[in-house]
Amino acid sequence: MANAIDFTFSDLIAGYVTYYNEQEDCFGLKTSDSREYEVYFTPTAYAELVRNLGEAYQDATGQMRDMIKSGVPPQEGMRGRFLLVYGIFYPEDGNQYRFEGKHIVFVGRNFDQYSFEKPDWWVNQIKQLAEFYLKAEFGVPQTVVNIDYSKYRTNLTITGEKQKSGRQETDTISRLVYGFASAYLLTGNDSYLEAATKGTDYLREHMRFKDQSEGIVYWYHAVDIQDDGSERKVYASEFGDDYEAIPCYEQIYALAGPIQTYRITGDPKILEDAKATVNLFKRFFIDTSEYGGYFSHIDPITFSPFSDSLGRNKGRKNWNSVGDHAPAYLINLWLATGKEEYAAFLEETFDTITKRFPDYENSPFVQEKFFQDWSKDQEWGWQQNRAVVGHNLKIAWNLTRMYGLRNKPEYKDFANKIGNIIAEVGTDRQRGGWHDVVERVEKAGKFHKYVWHNRKAWWQQEQGILAYYIMAGVYREAENVDFIRYAREGTAFYNAWFLDHYDGGVYFNVLADGHPFALGTERGKGSHSMAGYHSFELCYLAAIYNNLLLFKEPMDFYFKPTPGGFPDKILRVAPDILPPGSIKIKQVWIEGKPYYDFDSEGLFIRLPEDYENKKIRVRIYPTNIPFEAAFLEVTAENLAKIDLSGDLEGASALQEFDQEFERIEIQEAQGLIFVVNDLKSISSEALRYLSFYNSRKVRESGGHFTIKVEGANDTIKQAFLEANLVEESDFI
């Protein structure tokens, strides 16, 4: 007997505006997979703009109908304005439903604007996350530095308060350290670097087991802080899936935070620990037989992967033990050192993934668990013959990164295949976002069955967002044109529903329709599964992919070598593995002073003799951009320095120029210094713009506004002089 749905229910629709009917006060909405709905306004409907952490509510109720009208596509074949609308379905005759919208979230003020693609969106979000965890773990106000990791606790409530347990898990500290280090790289905030370096030191002093005789390092599962302040070491894992074993992924993630910190400081103690932990993988987790790969667990006493004590984990391999090396620490270790041995390890990793994980004859999802000989393990614990959607996306994302280091066609083909398939079977095309765990084969109609629920986890949204953004930037073939759309749809869902605007941080899980799920272990902001890793990693890499790869905006990164750091005096500053030749160093400052000894295309800086404990700011530009205007700094004389590169010609260049002038630092300055070393040409229209701007600023300031030009070639100098914008003495 069929179940009749003859009751009301509420749900979310994400889609593109197709029309607006003023008489009926309704509009059309087409979902990602081209299903159409009619949405009726009600007297209590309200609307808002998507907002970032730390931003106030931005009401759009008064403008919502006009925004719908202006969101209708101007011509056939185009998509309209994208939005999310929550409402109520009412059953009508003939198995039809009337949908009444109650809450609309617009993703930008303009027709084709996505607010989360603004250059500073993810930088601002990572600041808010860092401040949340500083306060939650250390009680540190923004103006006071008092970071003490003895106060750290793994388990946090939804409001960021510590739970009663004294548990300090190695991996959660390391993941939070990763977050603080990433926040420093993007902001240069010294509190974040202090949190990263102190956390790294704490891991070494309290969680590390250094085995001199074997030449290896391995890491305790946790430390329990007793009521009297003493420590109880927890050697083997106490997490249910890995109980009383040493799981490979815990050793992997113990390196995540320290290695990201090493990229900033070059601390040789970190590199020593990393080498010794890699030795652990290469000696005890590796399968040295003909099969290759890495085992998922070893016995804590014998270090054997075949011990009977391991139970269902005996002689097994999985995604975590084979693939998680790359995103957790190995890519960052290669970026920091440039060593071929780590590039070779990465290549070995992705060759194994490409060879062993596809199973498309049987399922649209990869196979994740294996016996030693790579035969399928489809009876293990909760996994059975099930897929973690986020692991598929994680593979596509990291294959694409690796394609920038080793451009093997099989990496590209596999990533593309995952991207196109998961859009159909792992993505919620009705509401946005990506599903959690589903059956690899068993279906209900066209849907792969959900294993436990249809909720969505924060970390799997990260995998999807990063996968589709980087693939959109790297793979530009016609069959992949929708990757940027999938990225935007998923990013809209994440920023609309996962950000906790009340207590800070991000939610662990939300319901399919975006409402927070706040029960059990998924209620908190800190646990065995959640720390400052995925949410920070998303901010760090989404900023890079959006700005440097897709929308061609410059970015600043910050470093601070420790005494003895980077002994070869080479600081490698590539922010991620991007396509060769796609970015370059434009400018470097050491303690605020310009520094010129760097290899622009090689993405490294030759450090001076007295480089230790000095903040280094690096500006990285995308290559092949026709024009870029970038604010640099405000001088001691309150002059705003603006770098101009390329050809300041045409409407788009002038628009870029005008947008940069909207910055508050420029608006409040008492003059401008244009740095034009790389400016090739400037149009008459741009010179008229500057003349008008200069006249207005002189009038507003009572005659105390100046313009200076630094680094002009003869052609640019003559253009400024002929426009009577500056005098000969104003050239630097």
Side-chain angles (χ1 to χ4, degrees), residues 32 389 422-430 432-435 468 489:
S32 176
V389 173
I422 292 300
E424 300 299 326
V425 300
T427 305
D428 187 343
R429 305 293 288 276
Q430 170 79 12
W434 292 275
H435 300 304
Y468 283 110
E489 291 166 0

Side-chain angles (χ1 to χ4, degrees), residues 584-604:
K584 64 180 180 180
I585 299 175
K586 180 64 184 296
Q587 287 155 309
V588 175
W589 298 263
I590 298 181
E591 291 295 320
K593 297 179 180 179
Y595 182 76
Y596 301 102
D597 193 2
F598 58 84
D599 187 313
S600 180
E601 282 72 33
L603 297 167
F604 65 83

